[in-house]
Amino acid sequence: MSEEKKVNAEQENTAVEETENETETVTGELPEAETEEDTRDQMIKDLTKENEKLKADVAKLKNEYARAYADTENTRKRLQNEFEQLSKYHIQKFALEVLPVLDNCERALAHETTDEAYRKGVQMIYDQLKNALETEGVTEIEALNKPFDGNWHQALMSEKVEGVEPGIVTQVLQKGYKLKDRILRAAMVKVSE
């Protein structure tokens, strides 16, 4: 048994030495702890860089969003303005086509006739057509005995007239019409010199 005790004692000594060696190894693991700290620092640096990149991306996207929003608002305003203009002047093309009919009715009424029923019929058509155009905002440009205005009148001739100062419309050769505040057809006039 004494040999057995010796073997056990040797085994215990060996175990104690191994434990001491393990302890030294554990305390010698200091470089490994530094590696973990370095890894942690590197991760923080990487995350900081990624965070800065994401912030830059967010700023870029915000800028793009603001531009897209501004473009959309500008387009909306432009379309709204076009719609308002179209609504306001929707009858312009039709009115331009109808004005010669109105002129022809005036010419027919200017001729002498013995048939009063015919004259009355033309007068009714003329009045209805004129009222319908006025309802849509088409009105006659007042020109006779008014100062000549190149925006609304087109001078076809001029003549010296006694007692009338220069630049006054003395005769309307063809009536002019406007649609609300826009000219449809300038009045063709004779102007005093």
Side-chain angles (χ1 to χ4, degrees), residues 10 13 18 23-24 27 31-33 44 57-58 60 63 71 78 88 93 105 116 122 124 136 144 157 172:
E10 280 179 22
N13 282 339
E18 286 177 6
T23 307
E24 285 177 13
T27 54
E32 206 171 292
I44 289 172
D57 289 346
V58 166
K60 180 182 173 188
N63 187 22
D71 286 345
R78 182 178 47 80
K88 187 174 181 180
K93 186 176 179 187
C105 286
E116 280 303 311
V122 172
M124 287 173 51
E136 291 296 327
L144 190 60
M157 43 176 63
V172 176

Coordinates of all heavy atoms in Angstrom, one line a residue, residues 10 13 18 23-24 27 31-33 44 57-58 60 63 71 78 88 93 105 116 122 124 136 144 157 172:
E10 N 2.0 11.2 -6.0 CA 2.5 11.7 -7.2 C 1.4 12.2 -8.1 O 1.6 13.3 -8.7 CB 3.3 10.6 -7.9 CG 4.7 10.4 -7.4 CD 5.4 9.3 -8.1 OE1 5.0 9.0 -9.3 OE2 6.3 8.7 -7.5
N13 N 0.4 15.6 -6.7 CA 1.4 16.6 -7.0 C 1.3 17.0 -8.5 O 1.4 18.2 -8.8 CB 2.8 16.1 -6.8 CG 3.1 16.1 -5.3 OD1 2.5 16.8 -4.5 ND2 4.1 15.3 -4.9
E18 N -0.5 20.9 -12.5 CA -1.3 21.2 -13.7 C -2.2 22.3 -13.4 O -2.5 23.2 -14.2 CB -2.1 19.9 -14.1 CG -1.3 18.9 -14.8 CD -2.1 17.7 -15.2 OE1 -3.3 17.6 -15.0 OE2 -1.4 16.7 -15.6
T23 N -3.6 28.0 -14.0 CA -3.8 29.3 -13.4 C -2.8 30.3 -14.1 O -3.2 31.4 -14.4 CB -3.5 29.3 -11.9 OG1 -4.3 28.3 -11.3 CG2 -3.8 30.6 -11.3
E24 N -1.6 29.9 -14.3 CA -0.6 30.7 -15.0 C -1.1 31.0 -16.4 O -1.0 32.1 -16.9 CB 0.7 30.1 -15.0 CG 1.5 30.1 -13.7 CD 2.8 29.4 -13.8 OE1 3.3 29.1 -14.9 OE2 3.4 29.2 -12.8
T27 N -4.0 33.5 -16.2 CA -3.4 34.8 -16.0 C -2.6 35.2 -17.2 O -2.5 36.4 -17.5 CB -2.6 34.9 -14.7 OG1 -1.6 33.9 -14.8 CG2 -3.4 34.8 -13.5
P31 N -3.3 38.8 -23.2 CA -3.3 39.2 -24.6 C -4.7 38.9 -25.2 O -5.2 39.7 -26.1 CB -2.2 38.5 -25.3 CG -1.3 38.1 -24.2 CD -2.1 38.0 -22.9
E32 N -5.3 37.8 -24.8 CA -6.6 37.5 -25.4 C -7.7 38.5 -25.0 O -8.5 38.9 -25.7 CB -7.0 36.1 -24.9 CG -8.0 35.4 -25.8 CD -8.2 33.9 -25.4 OE1 -7.2 33.1 -25.5 OE2 -9.3 33.6 -25.0
A33 N -7.6 39.0 -23.7 CA -8.6 40.0 -23.3 C -8.4 41.3 -24.1 O -9.3 42.0 -24.4 CB -8.4 40.3 -21.8
I44 N -17.1 49.2 -32.6 CA -17.6 50.5 -32.4 C -17.2 51.4 -33.5 O -18.1 52.2 -34.0 CB -17.1 51.1 -31.0 CG1 -17.8 50.3 -29.9 CG2 -17.4 52.6 -30.9 CD1 -17.2 50.6 -28.5
D57 N -26.9 59.0 -46.1 CA -27.9 58.5 -47.0 C -29.3 59.1 -46.7 O -30.0 59.5 -47.6 CB -28.0 57.0 -46.9 CG -26.8 56.3 -47.5 OD1 -26.0 56.9 -48.2 OD2 -26.6 55.1 -47.3
V58 N -29.6 59.3 -45.4 CA -30.9 59.8 -45.0 C -30.9 61.3 -45.5 O -32.0 61.8 -46.0 CB -31.1 59.7 -43.5 CG1 -32.2 60.6 -43.0 CG2 -31.3 58.3 -43.1
K60 N -29.4 62.6 -48.0 CA -29.5 62.6 -49.4 C -30.9 62.3 -49.8 O -31.5 63.0 -50.7 CB -28.6 61.6 -50.0 CG -28.6 61.5 -51.5 CD -27.7 60.4 -52.0 CE -27.9 60.1 -53.5 NZ -27.2 59.0 -54.0
N63 N -33.2 65.2 -49.2 CA -33.0 66.2 -50.2 C -33.8 65.8 -51.5 O -34.5 66.6 -52.1 CB -31.5 66.4 -50.5 CG -31.3 67.6 -51.5 OD1 -32.1 68.5 -51.6 ND2 -30.2 67.5 -52.1
D71 N -41.2 69.6 -57.0 CA -41.6 69.3 -58.4 C -43.1 69.0 -58.5 O -43.8 69.5 -59.4 CB -40.8 68.2 -59.1 CG -39.4 68.6 -59.4 OD1 -39.1 69.9 -59.3 OD2 -38.5 67.8 -59.6
R78 N -49.2 74.3 -61.7 CA -49.3 74.6 -63.2 C -50.6 74.0 -63.8 O -51.3 74.6 -64.5 CB -48.1 74.0 -63.9 CG -48.0 74.3 -65.4 CD -46.8 73.8 -66.0 NE -46.4 72.4 -65.7 CZ -47.0 71.4 -66.3 NH1 -47.9 71.5 -67.2 NH2 -46.6 70.1 -65.9
K88 N -62.0 79.1 -67.8 CA -62.4 80.5 -68.0 C -62.6 80.8 -69.5 O -63.5 81.5 -69.9 CB -61.3 81.4 -67.4 CG -61.6 82.8 -67.4 CD -60.5 83.6 -66.7 CE -60.8 85.1 -66.7 NZ -59.8 85.9 -66.0
K93 N -62.7 79.1 -78.9 CA -62.7 78.6 -80.2 C -64.1 78.7 -80.9 O -64.3 79.1 -82.0 CB -62.1 77.2 -80.3 CG -61.9 76.7 -81.7 CD -61.3 75.3 -81.7 CE -61.1 74.9 -83.1 NZ -60.7 73.5 -83.2
C105 N -75.8 88.3 -89.4 CA -77.1 88.7 -88.9 C -77.2 90.2 -88.9 O -78.2 90.8 -89.3 CB -77.3 88.1 -87.5 SG -77.7 86.4 -87.5
E116 N -91.5 92.0 -93.0 CA -91.3 92.2 -91.5 C -91.1 90.9 -90.8 O -90.4 90.8 -89.8 CB -92.4 93.1 -90.9 CG -92.3 94.5 -91.2 CD -90.9 95.1 -90.7 OE1 -90.5 94.9 -89.5 OE2 -90.3 95.8 -91.5
V122 N -84.9 87.2 -88.1 CA -83.4 87.4 -88.1 C -83.0 88.1 -86.8 O -82.0 87.8 -86.2 CB -82.9 88.2 -89.4 CG1 -81.5 88.6 -89.2 CG2 -83.1 87.3 -90.6
M124 N -84.6 88.0 -83.9 CA -84.7 87.1 -82.8 C -83.5 86.2 -82.8 O -82.9 85.9 -81.7 CB -86.0 86.2 -82.9 CG -87.2 87.0 -82.6 SD -88.8 86.1 -82.9 CE -88.5 84.6 -82.1
E136 N -71.7 83.6 -71.7 CA -70.4 82.9 -71.6 C -69.3 83.9 -71.4 O -68.1 83.5 -71.4 CB -70.2 82.0 -72.8 CG -71.1 80.8 -72.9 CD -70.8 79.8 -71.7 OE1 -69.7 79.7 -71.2 OE2 -71.8 79.2 -71.3
L144 N -66.8 103.1 -80.9 CA -67.2 104.3 -81.5 C -67.1 105.5 -80.6 O -67.6 105.4 -79.4 CB -68.7 104.2 -82.0 CG -69.2 105.3 -82.9 CD1 -68.4 105.4 -84.2 CD2 -70.7 105.0 -83.2
M157 N -58.2 102.7 -91.5 CA -58.1 104.0 -92.2 C -58.2 105.1 -91.2 O -58.6 105.0 -90.1 CB -59.1 104.1 -93.3 CG -60.5 103.7 -93.0 SD -61.8 103.9 -94.2 CE -61.3 102.9 -95.5
V172 N -66.9 102.4 -86.9 CA -66.6 101.0 -86.7 C -66.9 100.2 -87.9 O -68.1 100.1 -88.3 CB -67.3 100.4 -85.5 CG1 -67.0 98.9 -85.3 CG2 -67.0 101.1 -84.2

